[in-house]
Amino acid sequence: MSDTTTSGSLQEEVREYYRAKAAEAETSGACCSPDPRTFGPAAYDEIGPGTAPDAALLASLGCGNPSAVAELREGETVLDLGSGGGLDVILSARRVGPDGRVFGLDFLEEMLALAARNVEDAEVENVVLLKGTIESIPLPAGTVDVIISNCVINLSLNKPAVFAEMARVLAPGGRLGISDVVAEDRLSPEERAERGGHSQCIAGALSVSEYRELLDAVGLKDAEVVFTQEAADGLHAAIIRARKPAGALAAEAECAPGGGCC
């Protein structure tokens, strides 16, 4: 089987897996663990009643709470990569307030429809939902203050493109506040695949060193990868932070989205 065939098969597997999750809506689980006591909605146990619709909370599939990790401030522009059922865009919209704006990006119509219903129920008006992929973000260069993501980057089959796109759309001085599954450096890609599938956020997880190398390659600095809890043997839910230097030039505006600028 060729690499192209394998890639196409994995992409379709991911689409079908999350299409089914959107149909379930109230999953009470997560992509990286079936245990609702540790992942998914459990990561948001500090949010108060009425902060977000119950449907959005129960539809959470992630491994952390990136809107808290990113320490969002009023007036900021936020991009959520893989916004799913909309919980993180709702929480982010409340944190940045009416003068801020939150973009939620997802590649599935079903997830976008679910998010739209939850955003409407939450009565937040500073959210824009976008259809697209995290490898080709449909936003201009240098327009986002903060990028968040919840257990999504590990699903990408072209991670260098994802990191290039994050660096492109971040404004100088912007930052990342991401939750993801990350492998210990001791595990080979084959050993990661032995512990779980790609759609379950395990087989495609980067190692700590790989995360740091990809961030550094696109000019994102002060990278930190902090494990929070175990997802499988040698793999952990983690918090990832980095920043785009304030003096950095935004990526060339004429470069097309998709990573591989200039």
Side-chain angles (χ1 to χ4, degrees), residues 156-220:
S156 175
L157 303 182
N158 187 357
K159 294 181 178 67
V162 176
F163 283 75
E165 280 291 86
M166 290 194 293
R168 182 184 69 83
V169 300
L170 272 178
R175 64 192 186 278
L176 306 179
I178 291 169
S179 296
D180 208 1
V181 172
V182 180
E184 297 174 16
D185 285 334
R186 65 182 175 88
L187 294 186
S188 67
E190 293 75 20
E191 289 171 325
R192 297 169 214 172
E194 290 171 356
R195 287 157 169 76
H198 196 91
S199 296
Q200 289 75 38
C201 306
I202 300 298
L206 293 166
S207 70
V208 174
S209 293
E210 289 166 345
Y211 237 112
R212 290 182 177 277
E213 288 167 4
L214 284 168
L215 289 167
D216 185 65
V218 297
L220 298 178

Side-chain angles (χ1 to χ4, degrees), residues 47-52:
I47 69 173
T51 303

Side-chain angles (χ1 to χ4, degrees), residues 83-100:
S83 49
L87 177 60
D88 291 319
V89 295
I90 292 168
L91 296 177
S92 298
R94 297 199 190 285
R95 288 177 184 269
V96 302
D99 293 330

Side-chain angles (χ1 to χ4, degrees), residues 39-260:
F39 294 95
Y44 298 87
D45 58 0
E46 84 288 354
I47 69 173
T51 303
D54 289 345
L57 180 60
L58 291 171
S60 173
L61 300 170
C63 56
N65 182 349
S67 61
V69 167
E71 300 177 350
L72 302 179
R73 298 185 286 269
E74 288 193 11
E76 290 185 316
T77 298
V78 180
L79 169 63
D80 181 10
L81 298 181
S83 49
L87 177 60
D88 291 319
V89 295
I90 292 168
L91 296 177
S92 298
R94 297 199 190 285
R95 288 177 184 269
V96 302
D99 293 330
R101 183 160 57 163
V102 180
F103 294 100
L105 175 66
D106 207 280
F107 72 143
L108 282 181
E109 294 279 3
E110 293 86 347
M111 281 296 186
L112 290 167
L114 175 60
R117 292 195 297 272
N118 289 329
V119 167
E120 183 177 4
D121 289 345
E123 299 180 340
V124 291
E125 298 180 353
N126 53 340
V127 169
V128 178
L129 298 175
L130 303 170
K131 184 179 180 182
T133 69
I134 62 176
E135 297 86 1
S136 183
I137 299 170
L139 287 174
T143 55
V144 174
D145 297 312
V146 189
I147 293 175
I148 65 172
S149 184
N150 197 352
C151 209
V152 170
I153 291 174
N154 61 75
L155 297 173
S156 175
L157 303 182
N158 187 357
K159 294 181 178 67
V162 176
F163 283 75
E165 280 291 86
M166 290 194 293
R168 182 184 69 83
V169 300
L170 272 178
R175 64 192 186 278
L176 306 179
I178 291 169
S179 296
D180 208 1
V181 172
V182 180
E184 297 174 16
D185 285 334
R186 65 182 175 88
L187 294 186
S188 67
E190 293 75 20
E191 289 171 325
R192 297 169 214 172
E194 290 171 356
R195 287 157 169 76
H198 196 91
S199 296
Q200 289 75 38
C201 306
I202 300 298
L206 293 166
S207 70
V208 174
S209 293
E210 289 166 345
Y211 237 112
R212 290 182 177 277
E213 288 167 4
L214 284 168
L215 289 167
D216 185 65
V218 297
L220 298 178
K221 304 301 183 183
D222 299 332
E224 60 175 0
V225 181
V226 180
F227 292 156
T228 56
Q229 54 187 316
E230 187 176 74
D233 176 33
L235 292 110
H236 306 263
I239 291 169
I240 300 97
R241 293 187 178 95
R243 65 176 182 86
K244 185 171 183 176
L249 294 176
E252 296 291 337
E254 65 269 19
C255 289

